[in-house]
Amino acid sequence: MLNIHNLSVSFGGEYLFKEISFRLNGGNRVGLVGKNGAGKSTLLKLLSKDMSIDSGTIAIEKDIKIGFLRQDIDFVLGRTVLEESYQAFEEIKALELKMDEINHQLAERTDYESEGYNQLIIDLSDITHHYEILGGYNYQGETEKILQGLGFNREDFDKKTETFSGGWRMRIELAKLLLQSNDVLLLDEPTNHLDIESIIWLEQFLNNYSGAVVIVSHDKMFLDNVTNRTIEISLGRIYDYSKPYSEYLVLRQEIRDQQLSIQKNQDKEIQQAERLIEKFRAKSTKASMAQSLMKKLDKMDRIEVDEDDNSVMSLRFPISVVPGKVVVEIENLAKSYGSKQVLENIDLLVERNSKTAFVGQNGQGKSTLAKIMVGDIAYDGHLKLGHNVQIGYFAQNQAEYLDGNKTILDTMIDSANEKNRSKVRDILGSFLFKGDDVEKYVKVLSGGERNRLALAKMLLQPFNVLVMDEPTNHLDIKSKNVLKQALQNFEGTLILVSHDRDFLQGLTDSVYEFKDKRIREYLGDVDYYLEQRKEENFRNIEKKEKNPKKKESITKNTNDFQNQKKVKSLKNRLSSVESKIANLEKEIGQIDHNLLMNYDETIAKPNFFDSYEAKKKTLEELMGKWEAITIELEEVS
């Protein structure tokens, strides 16, 4: 499908990657991994032709369609969720406009016997046939199915896209991509804005997808569940193995260990040969042997060990002062945005040293409650912070608050105080900003590098309670592991909003699920929560089956949909029959004309009367069909 050969890209004279080659085939589900700034998103942009290459080639087979989930999206204002999602079907929507235009002309015109009217019927028949082949009668149902899989409710479908957050708009963009008939999907951080249930749905969708997929993701569990191949960009090279991420790491280490072992033996052989050369060189009787050994060394293929970029940030969250036993006490808390109620009757007690996860669908109030706790937004009800509580807060869009026109160093110095200003360079070094890196402007940093800088800024302020909202977005896998280790070692109180299952595993001792304006506690980590939710989902299914009113409503909606579908089908069949009738009437009319003008010559044609009678019989049958369809259409409409 795609053949990448000797591809090179450089910025500022430094290569991101140099002369890399690989091929993408149907069924490949590739996890594209590497450190922040290694060039993953750049490679996706090159494959999608959003960027031009420095050197090398990207050969794409003819008629291959590539879909790219970008991080920056731009919607037309005023469209509903459904209307925006339908933009995935450009050709189908164009055909609908043509059919509407022709039907409008047919309704207005009365010259039923004219050539122009007949041509309109033929055109309508052709367009309708093409429309049916493209899935014109199925795309609306398919769209609703995909949107619901990505977390939208039916009542969301007719809402304007601008009323949704950036995360939800990204879901609409993802839905459009999945609805298109693409042969290759390029997905840049597709799980960043998805809740756990939507991630599980997306995993199932991609596992059933027949085309090629290239995924940039820092969600190790998602990669393991979806991919069957891993390409890592490291130090300008790529490492490509037909394994999901975790298996790839093991395999790559095994290969590296083998290389080291072979290299060690070769080094011994080289050292032995060099000693003999030195020993024999001065002796005339042994000079030829020395020359022979030197030639052997020159011809030897030196074993190279794959380099590995093992540099990782160093992170430790220190405790400021010890707070009281109760850190946060919430009673009967509520929050609404205009007429939309997000939280209602919330009661919550957070104790010192507890580690709590907030989970649930986007828009259910997780980030809202986090912002209320840190004093960012107003609310109704009662909230009390405990004695000596000092909160450190990492917002979901923390990196967006950074000034792009400042350097990394200036960003830190401006946030420091007299006590810790001298430690700024040391802190930056522990977050992998070393040497001249600190003079880079924030605007040129990758998403992961910005997140690292935002984390570094947090260490300039004292705290004993840490509230983090989606801290792993854009962080590479190694950085995520360092952050997780730091949070496990954190001796204070942790409140963590996240959808990253792998990151949450073993990190918290309680999970609060946000749903329908309320919260529900699960005393365990995310694995325990998912276990319980699965059982609960089965119970909900049983409840729905036992609810006749709900079942009746579902049946009614289904019947309405089927009815609309049948009306469209009958109308299209009617148009097709009318087109055939018009063509036959034209042919028979021409024969009748020929009989009047030149009877003897016309009947002299072979099998003339058989053919003439057959056409009349076919016309009679078509008229019968037309009548039957018309009656059925009247009954259904």
Side-chain angles (χ1 to χ4, degrees):
M1 299 178 90
L2 271 76
N3 192 28
I4 294 85
H5 183 66
N6 286 343
L7 188 65
S8 299
V9 170
S10 61
F11 291 101
E14 291 186 14
Y15 280 100
L16 263 181
F17 36 80
K18 187 175 182 180
E19 296 182 352
I20 63 172
S21 300
F22 62 94
R23 181 175 174 80
L24 278 181
N25 297 310
N28 286 166
R29 294 192 298 276
V30 179
L32 186 60
V33 300
K35 290 188 62 176
N36 292 130
K40 303 182 297 294
S41 294
T42 299
L43 183 54
L44 289 191
K45 289 174 183 175
L46 292 169
L47 296 178
S48 66
K49 297 187 178 179
D50 276 17
M51 277 180 65
S52 56
I53 59 178
D54 288 355
S55 62
T57 58
I58 300 176
I60 303 173
E61 288 179 13
K62 191 179 178 183
D63 298 328
I64 290 294
K65 291 174 66 179
I66 298 176
F68 181 25
L69 180 68
R70 299 167 178 84
Q71 288 298 306
D72 51 329
I73 54 174
D74 187 21
F75 286 171
V76 174
L77 295 178
R79 284 180 185 157
T80 65
V81 172
L82 272 182
E83 287 169 345
E84 183 62 46
S85 300
Y86 290 159
Q87 299 308 305
F89 305 99
E90 289 182 22
E91 195 172 356
I92 286 177
K93 299 301 287 183
L95 290 176
E96 282 184 343
L97 286 174
K98 286 181 182 178
M99 287 193 294
D100 287 344
E101 187 182 328
I102 292 173
N103 279 318
H104 182 69
Q105 289 184 51
L106 289 173
E108 287 188 337
R109 293 176 63 157
T110 56
D111 54 335
Y112 307 122
E113 304 298 327
S114 70
E115 181 123 2
Y117 192 89
N118 180 55
Q119 189 58 48
L120 283 176
I121 292 174
I122 293 169
D123 291 345
L124 181 61
S125 178
D126 291 343
I127 292 169
T128 302
H129 181 62
H130 190 200
Y131 181 79
E132 191 170 359
I133 289 172
L134 289 175
Y137 300 118
N138 302 321
Y139 80 92
Q140 292 177 331
E142 191 65 23
T143 300
E144 293 183 12
K145 178 182 167 186
I146 296 287
L147 286 172
Q148 286 178 310
L150 290 173
F152 287 93
N153 295 317
R154 283 191 174 275
E155 53 264 31
D156 297 326
F157 293 169
D158 295 323
K159 294 177 182 175
K160 305 291 185 191
T161 58
E162 55 263 34
T163 63
F164 290 87
S165 67
W168 281 98
R169 288 201 294 272
M170 186 61 76
R171 291 190 193 210
I172 299 171
E173 191 67 15
L174 177 58
K176 285 160 61 178
L177 197 68
L178 300 182
L179 286 164
Q180 293 166 355
S181 300
N182 291 305
D183 303 291
V184 180
L185 289 177
L186 307 176
L187 306 179
D188 193 358
E189 300 286 5
T191 64
N192 264 5
H193 302 286
L194 300 182
D195 52 71
I196 291 171
E197 290 183 1
S198 295
I199 291 172
I200 292 170
W201 178 88
L202 181 60
E203 287 175 355
Q204 293 169 344
F205 182 96
L206 293 176
N207 281 323
N208 292 322
Y209 179 70
S210 59
V213 188
V214 182
I215 305 166
V216 171
S217 178
H218 301 130
D219 186 334
K220 185 166 75 72
M221 188 176 288
F222 179 72
L223 290 174
D224 283 343
N225 289 344
V226 170
T227 62
N228 53 22
R229 180 179 171 189
T230 300
I231 296 178
E232 180 180 9
I233 304 176
S234 178
L235 301 173
R237 296 180 60 186
I238 64 165
Y239 299 89
D240 184 359
Y241 293 96
S242 299
K243 298 285 183 185
Y245 182 72
S246 293
E247 291 181 35
Y248 157 74
L249 287 179
V250 174
L251 183 61
R252 186 180 168 192
Q253 188 58 46
E254 287 174 357
I255 291 170
R256 196 168 185 275
D257 290 343
Q258 289 173 2
Q259 289 175 335
L260 283 168
S261 177
I262 296 169
Q263 187 189 56
K264 190 176 179 181
N265 291 332
Q266 190 182 62
D267 287 343
K268 285 181 182 177
E269 188 181 338
I270 292 169
Q271 289 167 12
Q272 176 68 14
E274 286 173 342
R275 280 197 297 269
L276 289 172
I277 291 168
E278 195 64 33
K279 184 177 178 181
F280 296 153
R281 190 178 305 196
K283 297 180 181 180
S284 58
T285 56
K286 304 280 187 175
S288 61
M289 189 178 291
Q291 287 292 327
S292 177
L293 286 169
M294 287 171 68
K295 287 179 182 178
K296 183 182 176 183
L297 283 183
D298 288 340
K299 291 179 180 178
M300 184 180 287
D301 288 329
R302 303 294 173 108
I303 302 297
E304 290 185 7
V305 177
D306 293 336
E307 289 185 78
D308 196 6
D309 189 349
N310 286 314
S311 55
V312 292
M313 66 178 183
S314 173
L315 178 57
R316 181 177 171 272
F317 295 111
I319 292 292
S320 53
V321 293
V322 178
K325 186 178 179 183
V326 175
V327 171
V328 182
E329 185 179 3
I330 293 173
E331 289 181 6
N332 200 29
L333 184 143
K335 175 63 184 176
S336 61
Y337 295 98
S339 60
K340 184 179 180 182
Q341 191 79 31
V342 180
L343 297 171
E344 194 173 59
N345 298 327
I346 302 298
D347 295 324
L348 178 64
L349 188 73
V350 180
E351 296 188 340
R352 182 180 62 216
N353 299 338
S354 61
K355 287 183 166 61
T356 305
F358 287 176
V359 302
Q361 286 189 340
N362 289 357
Q364 293 291 331
K366 307 184 300 296
S367 297
T368 296
L369 187 57
K371 288 175 184 176
I372 288 171
M373 286 180 172
V374 301
D376 267 14
I377 55 177
Y379 59 92
D380 296 317
H382 173 77
L383 183 149
K384 181 182 177 184
L385 296 181
H387 178 64
N388 274 343
V389 166
Q390 296 176 333
I391 298 180
Y393 177 49
F394 185 94
Q396 184 173 2
N397 56 345
Q398 187 81 37
E400 293 176 16
Y401 292 119
L402 300 173
D403 187 343
N405 294 315
K406 285 184 180 180
T407 65
I408 293 171
L409 184 60
D410 288 342
T411 299
M412 290 290 285
I413 288 174
D414 291 348
S415 299
N417 55 41
E418 290 181 6
K419 290 182 180 179
N420 56 28
R421 193 165 286 122
S422 61
K423 298 178 182 177
V424 160
R425 281 187 177 270
D426 291 337
I427 293 172
L428 284 174
S430 68
F431 282 81
L432 304 183
F433 297 113
K434 298 176 181 178
D436 293 339
D437 286 345
V438 300
E439 300 301 334
K440 285 182 180 177
Y441 283 95
V442 171
K443 61 187 174 187
V444 304
L445 301 180
S446 68
E449 288 169 327
R450 290 189 185 201
N451 259 25
R452 288 212 309 267
L453 180 56
L455 284 169
K457 271 184 67 179
M458 289 189 69
L459 301 189
L460 297 173
Q461 303 297 328
F463 54 82
N464 49 33
V465 176
L466 187 50
V467 179
M468 306 193 87
D469 190 355
E470 302 291 4
T472 63
N473 282 0
H474 304 293
L475 282 183
D476 61 68
I477 292 172
K478 287 181 180 178
S479 297
K480 272 173 54 177
N481 291 338
V482 170
L483 175 59
K484 182 172 180 175
Q485 188 64 50
L487 294 177
Q488 285 172 330
N489 295 333
F490 179 53
E491 295 176 357
T493 307
L494 175 66
I495 296 170
L496 187 60
V497 180
S498 180
H499 63 262
D500 191 326
R501 294 160 293 167
D502 177 62
F503 184 72
L504 287 174
Q505 277 181 327
L507 188 52
T508 63
D509 46 43
S510 64
V511 173
Y512 281 92
E513 181 190 38
F514 286 64
K515 192 174 183 182
D516 300 328
K517 306 169 195 171
R518 307 298 298 271
I519 62 174
R520 179 178 175 182
E521 184 180 23
Y522 294 82
L523 294 173
D525 73 351
V526 70
D527 285 338
Y528 174 77
Y529 159 73
L530 286 173
E531 228 175 85
Q532 297 299 308
R533 282 294 285 116
K534 205 170 194 179
E535 292 173 10
E536 187 179 281
N537 280 341
F538 282 126
R539 285 200 296 274
N540 283 345
I541 290 167
E542 289 170 7
K543 285 177 186 174
K544 285 176 184 175
E545 290 298 324
K546 290 174 184 175
N547 189 337
K549 286 187 179 178
K550 193 150 193 173
K551 197 169 181 182
E552 185 182 330
S553 172
I554 292 168
T555 305
K556 184 178 180 299
N557 290 336
T558 304
N559 288 341
D560 287 345
F561 177 73
Q562 294 295 337
N563 212 38
Q564 290 170 10
K565 191 175 176 182
K566 190 171 184 181
V567 167
K568 276 194 173 183
S569 176
L570 287 169
K571 283 182 177 178
N572 289 323
R573 282 171 57 197
L574 190 65
S575 294
S576 177
V577 170
E578 285 174 345
S579 176
K580 289 175 183 176
I581 288 171
N583 287 334
L584 264 178
E585 284 180 336
K586 189 176 180 182
E587 286 179 32
I588 293 170
Q590 185 62 48
I591 293 170
D592 289 339
H593 176 74
N594 292 340
L595 283 170
L596 285 171
M597 300 301 294
N598 198 336
Y599 179 81
D600 292 335
E601 189 177 323
T602 303
I603 64 170
K605 290 178 182 178
N607 302 319
F608 167 75
F609 285 108
D610 289 343
S611 174
Y612 185 49
E613 289 302 320
K615 287 181 188 296
K616 284 190 170 183
K617 187 177 181 183
T618 302
L619 179 61
E620 192 178 331
E621 289 172 356
L622 285 171
M623 292 300 291
K625 278 186 183 179
W626 182 88
E627 187 178 356
I629 294 170
T630 304
I631 292 169
E632 190 176 355
L633 190 57
E634 287 174 356
E635 289 174 352
V636 173
S637 300

